[in-house]
Amino acid sequence: MKITILGIESSCDDTSAAIVQEGVMLSNIIAGQKVHEIYGGVVPELASRAHQQNIIPVVDTAIKQAGILKNDITAIAFTRGPGLLGSLLVGTSFAKGFALAQNIKMVEVNHLHGHILAHFLKIPNVENKQPAFPFLSLLVSGGHTQIVLVKDFNDMTILGQTIDDAAGEAFDKCAKVMGLPYPGGPVVDRYAKLGNPKAFQFTKPVIKDLDFSFSGLKTNFLYFLRDRLKENPNFITDNMNDLCASLQFTIVDILMDKLKKAVKLTGIKEITVGGGVAANSELRNKLTELGAKYKWNLHIPAFQFTTDNAAMIAIAGYYKFLRGEFAENNIAPLAKMKF
Ligand code: KG4
Ligand code: ZN
C-alpha cells in the first residue's frame, strides 16, 4: 500500500490540510483568516476560533481533491509548534481524534522543519529538483529569520538567527507605520515594484557572525518618517513607492549579506529559501542574481509553498514516518519548540 500522509497546519492564521502520497502532493488546501486585517496583526483568540470552524471542511476538501478515501490515509502529520498555542491546539486535537478514529499513527512536525523540507515535495507534472545534502536554508518568515545548515532530513543546525525582529516582522511593522494593511510584506512588495530602491537610505545593523537584527531598521524608519512628516504631512503618500522600494532593498540587502557570509564560511553552494518572505520579488531577484554570480545551486520555492501550508508538514512528516518516529497520543502542542 502506498504511504499516504494527511498533513495539518494550524500554527498561526492559516488552516491547512494536504495529502502527500509517497512524497507526491495530491492536494494542499489553505483557508486564510481575513478577520485579523482590521486589527493590524493576528489576534490569537480569533485565530483559534477560526481554525475550529475551518479545520473539518479544509480536511474534507483536501481528501476529496486528492481523489482518495479516508481509509487510504496511512498516518497524520501535524504541526506541534512553534506557534500560537490556541491555534496549535486545534490542529493537534484534530490529529489525535482522527488518528484514534482511524487507528493510524501520528507524526509531530516542527513548523520550521516543514518550511525547510518543503523543497522535497514532488508535484505532479512539474519538474522535481530536490536539494542535495548538505545545503543551507535561508528561512525568512513573520516569526523567524535563520540560516540553517541541513545535513539530512533529521540533522539541522542553526548557524545564525535574528536577535530581535524577524524579516517578515520588519516588513509588517514598517508597513503599519505607513498606514498599510496587515500583513504588510506583500503590500510593500507591490508598491516597491514602481519605486526607486536607492531613493532613501536606511541603516543596516552591524551584528556579529551570521546573526541578524531588524529592530534598528524599524526605529530608523520610524524616526525618518516622523522627521519628514514635520516638513510635509503628505510625505508618506507622496513617496509610497520609493519608501517601499528602499525599505525592501535594505531588508533584502541585510539578508543577502549574511547568506553570502554563510556560503563563504561553510563552502556550501547548495542554497534553499523558505518562509513567507521568500515570496518577496526583490529577494527572489537578488537570490537569482547572486546565484548566477557565485555559481550557487539555488532552490526557490513556488509561491504556494512560501507561506504556511500543510503540504510542507506532510512531507516533513513523511520522512519522519519512514524513520518510524511516531508521536504518543497524549502529545501536547508547544508554543516554543526546540529546533
Ligand atoms: O511563513 P509565514 O506565512 O508565516 C510565519 O510562519 O510567520 O510568513 C508570513 C510573513 C509575513 O510577515 C508577511 O508579511 C511576509 O511573510 N510576506 C512577505 C511577502 N509575502 C509574505 N514579505 C515580503 N514580501 C512578500 N511578497
Ligand atoms: Zn511559517
Side-chain angles (χ1 to χ4, degrees):
M1 214 178 86
K2 289 182 176 169
I3 298 170
T4 307
I5 309 286
L6 166 61
I8 304 288
E9 157 62 31
S10 73
S11 64
C12 191
D13 61 342
D14 290 306
T15 318
S16 181
I19 298 289
V20 169
Q21 193 167 61
E22 299 286 342
V24 179
M25 188 183 85
L26 301 185
S27 64
N28 186 30
I29 308 299
I30 305 169
Q33 304 179 357
K34 287 258 171 240
V35 65
H36 308 288
E37 255 173 35
I38 53 165
Y39 298 100
V42 177
V43 183
E45 176 61 22
L46 297 181
S48 53
R49 287 186 212 177
H51 282 304
Q52 191 73 29
Q53 285 177 335
N54 293 342
I55 188 99
I56 302 279
V58 162
V59 170
D60 192 47
T61 310
I63 292 173
K64 285 190 179 129
Q65 207 180 85
I68 63 157
L69 298 170
K70 206 168 56 175
N71 288 341
D72 296 329
I73 296 168
T74 323
I76 180 162
F78 64 97
T79 304
R80 185 184 186 191
L84 302 171
L85 197 68
S87 292
L88 292 163
L89 262 170
V90 178
T92 308
S93 307
F94 176 86
K96 286 183 189 183
F98 192 87
L100 204 63
Q102 292 296 107
N103 194 23
I104 58 172
K105 299 280 189 199
M106 276 195 298
V107 183
E108 57 156 303
V109 174
N110 182 312
H111 179 82
L112 302 173
H113 293 186
H115 275 302
I116 292 170
L117 298 178
H119 293 275
F120 291 92
L121 276 168
K122 294 178 195 141
I123 316 297
N125 308 319
V126 173
E127 192 203 349
N128 182 231
K129 185 178 159 240
Q130 300 194 339
F133 297 113
F135 61 86
L136 295 177
S137 171
L138 174 67
L139 182 52
V140 275
S141 72
H144 295 85
T145 298
Q146 320 178 314
I147 294 177
V148 182
L149 167 62
V150 188
K151 289 191 183 157
D152 207 335
F153 292 107
N154 57 347
D155 186 352
M156 305 185 194
T157 313
I158 297 173
L159 301 181
Q161 59 190 327
T162 181
I163 57 167
D164 42 57
D165 291 346
E169 231 175 329
F171 271 107
D172 296 342
K173 286 181 175 171
C174 292
K176 196 172 177 177
V177 173
M178 291 187 284
L180 298 175
Y182 177 86
V187 188
V188 170
D189 195 348
R190 269 203 310 278
Y191 281 112
K193 287 195 170 79
L194 304 168
N196 171 9
K198 302 273 172 65
F200 307 109
Q201 281 202 336
F202 303 112
T203 38
K204 276 174 50 183
V206 182
I207 303 292
K208 67 169 180 50
D209 305 327
L210 295 176
D211 286 340
F212 299 90
S213 167
F214 289 99
S215 69
L217 170 63
K218 180 188 65 190
T219 313
N220 177 230
F221 190 73
L222 184 72
Y223 288 168
F224 170 82
L225 287 183
R226 191 192 56 186
D227 293 346
R228 295 300 176 99
L229 283 167
K230 277 183 204 153
E231 299 155 12
N232 171 10
N234 298 323
F235 182 76
I236 295 177
T237 36
D238 286 353
N239 296 278
M240 189 60 96
N241 296 340
D242 286 349
L243 281 168
C244 288
S246 303
L247 172 69
Q248 178 172 282
F249 178 84
T250 312
I251 294 175
V252 171
D253 209 31
I254 294 170
L255 294 170
M256 292 303 101
D257 275 355
K258 293 291 172 142
L259 186 60
K260 280 189 275 183
K261 197 169 175 184
V263 172
K264 217 170 185 178
L265 283 170
T266 59
I268 295 172
K269 292 187 170 187
E270 188 85 8
I271 313 286
T272 71
V273 57
V277 181
N280 184 264
S281 49
E282 164 76 5
L283 181 70
R284 295 168 85 93
N285 290 342
K286 259 298 156 45
L287 274 170
T288 311
E289 193 185 305
L290 292 175
K293 184 171 173 192
Y294 296 112
K295 307 217 161 18
W296 296 348
N297 195 17
L298 259 185
H299 301 264
I300 299 177
F303 284 106
Q304 65 163 320
F305 302 117
T306 56
T307 43
D308 293 345
N309 66 88
M312 69 182 197
I313 302 303
I315 192 71
Y318 171 65
Y319 286 105
K320 283 188 98 172
F321 181 91
L322 294 181
R323 295 196 300 273
E325 292 176 26
F326 307 124
E328 298 293 328
N329 76 358
N330 63 353
I331 192 164
L334 298 170
K336 289 209 167 82
M337 192 169 172
K338 200 175 150 278
F339 186 78

